Amino acid sequence: MIKRVLAFLAACLLSTPLVAAPAGVTVNGVDVSEGSGEGWTYANTSKTLTLSGVGPFTLSGTNTSGSVLVSVRADMVVTLSNLVLRTTISNKCSFDVASGNSLQIVLAGTNELTSGPYCAGLQVAAGASVWINEAVGASDASLKVQGGSQGGAGLGGKRRASCGSIFIEVIAKPSSVEHSGDSVA
């Protein structure tokens, strides 16, 4: 009887597909643990979500364990919608734009990118361009970027490396603009 139960359990285990645990971050509504989607792949071994298609992509969710690192490898538009990525792993960047690529980041909601030592929070390699602006109708969109210890910038290149071009469009809202101090004529 025990042999039959063990054989049954072994058969059940072998016939049940292994499903990766959700990573907490989605691309266009699909958890990255699914492995791939239109224009993107996620490699669990390197913890890297590679965006290589034309998009547009919307990234959402939270991963503070360092198991989702975004790598942009094509010209595209990416919306960050309440996205929080953090890693403390040395030489690992939460969000990296490779040389030769142009990225438009559209902000919706509250977003945060924090990288490990030596890396920028939003790393833009020499020869890459990034434009950051607010989604239409997203009145309180924000992006907090923090580089890792050992010289990691918030926005820019890896420690002791040149960075690409970064353009930030700021939309002043009359009700939220404050000024104090002397006027300069």
Side-chain angles (χ1 to χ4, degrees):
M1 176 71 170
I2 292 176
K3 286 183 181 178
R4 278 191 218 158
V5 170
L6 291 175
F8 175 75
L9 290 174
C12 288
L13 289 174
L14 292 175
S15 65
T16 304
L18 297 175
V19 178
V25 174
T26 62
V27 180
N28 296 341
V30 177
D31 194 279
V32 299
S33 63
E34 296 290 322
S36 66
E38 180 93 23
W40 64 272
T41 58
Y42 175 71
N44 191 43
T45 53
S46 66
K47 313 291 186 220
T48 303
L49 167 62
T50 303
L51 304 176
S52 57
V54 295
F57 299 105
T58 298
L59 304 182
S60 299
T62 299
N63 186 286
T64 58
S65 67
S67 60
V68 178
L69 308 169
V70 178
S71 178
V72 174
R73 298 290 184 247
D75 297 344
M76 66 185 68
V77 176
V78 175
T79 298
L80 305 184
S81 179
N82 296 309
L83 177 70
V84 176
L85 296 178
R86 291 187 199 129
T87 185
T88 57
I89 303 167
S90 187
N91 287 308
K92 294 296 182 178
C93 180
S94 289
F95 204 105
D96 176 50
V97 182
S99 182
N101 295 295
S102 294
L103 171 66
Q104 178 185 0
I105 295 176
V106 179
L107 301 175
T110 303
N111 303 280
E112 180 183 328
L113 305 172
T114 304
S115 292
Y118 306 104
C119 294
L122 172 56
Q123 193 158 286
V124 182
S129 299
V130 173
W131 285 262
I132 302 172
N133 59 9
E134 186 177 80
V136 174
S139 61
D140 291 327
S142 66
L143 174 61
K144 176 183 176 183
V145 290
Q146 182 173 337
S149 61
Q150 306 299 319
L155 293 170
K158 202 169 197 169
R159 182 179 179 201
R160 296 187 177 139
S162 297
C163 73
S165 301
I166 302 168
F167 306 92
I168 302 171
E169 179 181 349
V170 177
I171 301 172
K173 297 172 184 75
S175 61
S176 66
V177 175
E178 295 182 20
H179 174 74
S180 62
D182 296 331
S183 297
V184 176

